[in-house]
Amino acid sequence: MSLGDEPGYGDGPRGDDGGYGGSGQTRTRLPDRPGDVYGGARRGRGSSSRSLVTVVGVVVLLIAAIAFANRGDNTDASGGGSGDKARTSPTAPSGNHPVTTKTTGIPSGFPHTREGAESAAANYAVALGSTGMFNTATRHGIVRAIYTTAAVDRLQGPMDQAYSTDFLSRLGLDANGNAPSGDTFVSRTVPVGTKVGHFDASGAKISVWYMGLIGMSGQTSTDPVSSTWKTWTFELRWDNGDWKIVADSQTDGPAPVPGDDKAATSDEISKAIEEYGGFTYAR
């Protein structure tokens, strides 16, 4: 997930056209180190000291899930009733159930339809924003599962360079992407909705609006978990019976006005991450 372009951290490796996946420019930005906000303190709005990680394009370091997928248990989306209503709004659910199969723990086998492409994009955003991306073996599995073969060949090396041991250590992680004992590293993508820019039988351009969560939850953490809002656009191709990513890029926002919620303690955040799982997204 891209959290802004802040100078001073250096550009990551790029693909053929200047960015991973054939679009966008990849930068890895490490967060500034604010004071400990845990224990109920609130983070200042718009502060440049927010503990955020930037990886624009394919090298995404953010985050997990919360828009609805499994809608309309007994609804016929092919016509009549709520199926007609679903077509009146670009954000209305189709009533189709999410996929029931997985590859490397990632939903797969999406329908060869407009809704299937949207569902694939949302689920792929979740996978690319997960903590699994910080472990080499897991990251390789994720990338092989959701990108075309050509994209994997082009991206794997540069992505490994971006997730270097030095980069991980600056996030408080060891060489295998593990948090210190007693701490919880949080990285989740939370899709809010999807939009179709283009669709036909061979390919689709799908944008996913999402909220990202990232940071280290722990009593001594200087990078507390914080949120950001981004839009992630995927170029998909129907490849060997499923939707696969050819290229992707990200833009800031749209971000809502921050609320007046009191920041949770590190224990509350860690407990929530352990207790609340993610979703499989459908359209």
Side-chain angles (χ1 to χ4, degrees):
M1 157 188 307
S2 166
L3 301 183
D5 298 331
E6 181 168 321
Y9 293 101
D11 290 344
R14 304 178 186 175
D16 298 339
D17 58 357
Y20 287 116
S23 63
Q25 179 172 318
T26 301
R27 300 182 180 86
T28 53
R29 191 200 77 184
L30 296 179
D32 295 324
R33 299 276 179 173
D36 187 0
V37 303
Y38 286 121
R42 294 197 61 225
R43 186 190 312 275
R45 298 179 181 177
S47 172
S48 62
S49 65
R50 288 186 176 183
S51 168
L52 302 176
V53 179
T54 296
V55 177
V56 179
V58 161
V59 185
V60 176
L61 305 184
L62 301 193
I63 347 304
I66 255 191
F68 264 91
N70 191 6
R71 302 288 187 89
D73 288 53
N74 298 307
T75 302
D76 180 3
S78 63
S82 60
D84 289 335
K85 294 180 181 178
R87 286 188 284 272
T88 65
S89 169
T91 59
S94 67
N96 295 327
H97 289 279
V99 295
T100 58
T101 56
K102 289 188 176 183
T103 301
T104 319
I106 303 169
S108 62
F110 297 96
H112 192 189
T113 62
R114 177 188 179 104
E115 290 82 5
E118 291 181 84
S119 185
N123 284 283
Y124 294 166
V126 171
L128 287 170
S130 70
T131 55
M133 291 294 289
F134 296 82
N135 173 273
T136 301
T138 307
R139 180 173 63 254
H140 287 180
I142 291 172
V143 173
R144 285 194 298 267
I146 65 179
Y147 282 89
T148 63
T149 300
V152 171
D153 292 342
R154 183 175 68 251
L155 300 171
Q156 197 76 85
M159 290 178 73
D160 288 344
Q161 293 177 19
Y163 287 92
S164 66
T165 300
D166 179 64
F167 176 72
L168 295 176
S169 68
R170 294 170 69 184
L171 296 175
L173 303 171
D174 65 18
N176 294 316
N178 298 317
S181 178
D183 288 354
T184 301
F185 180 61
V186 180
S187 182
R188 286 195 179 189
T189 301
V190 186
V192 176
T194 59
K195 181 179 69 172
V196 179
H198 165 77
F199 175 81
D200 60 32
S202 61
K205 180 178 181 180
I206 309 294
S207 295
V208 181
W209 180 34
Y210 71 91
M211 182 185 72
L213 302 175
I214 191 166
M216 188 76 74
S217 178
Q219 294 296 331
T220 61
S221 171
T222 57
D223 291 319
V225 180
S226 56
S227 63
T228 187
W229 290 85
K230 300 289 172 180
T231 299
W232 203 341
T233 300
F234 295 94
E235 297 284 348
L236 302 176
R237 176 181 301 160
W238 185 252
D239 181 46
N240 196 27
D242 208 351
W243 293 107
K244 300 290 184 179
I245 304 172
V246 177
D248 58 273
S249 61
Q250 297 193 57
T251 57
D252 294 338
V257 175
D260 293 325
D261 303 295
K262 180 181 178 181
T265 65
S266 60
D267 287 342
E268 290 172 332
I269 291 293
S270 296
K271 184 178 181 180
I273 290 298
E274 293 173 359
E275 293 182 344
Y276 293 87
F279 299 100
T280 297
Y281 290 83
R283 193 70 174 94

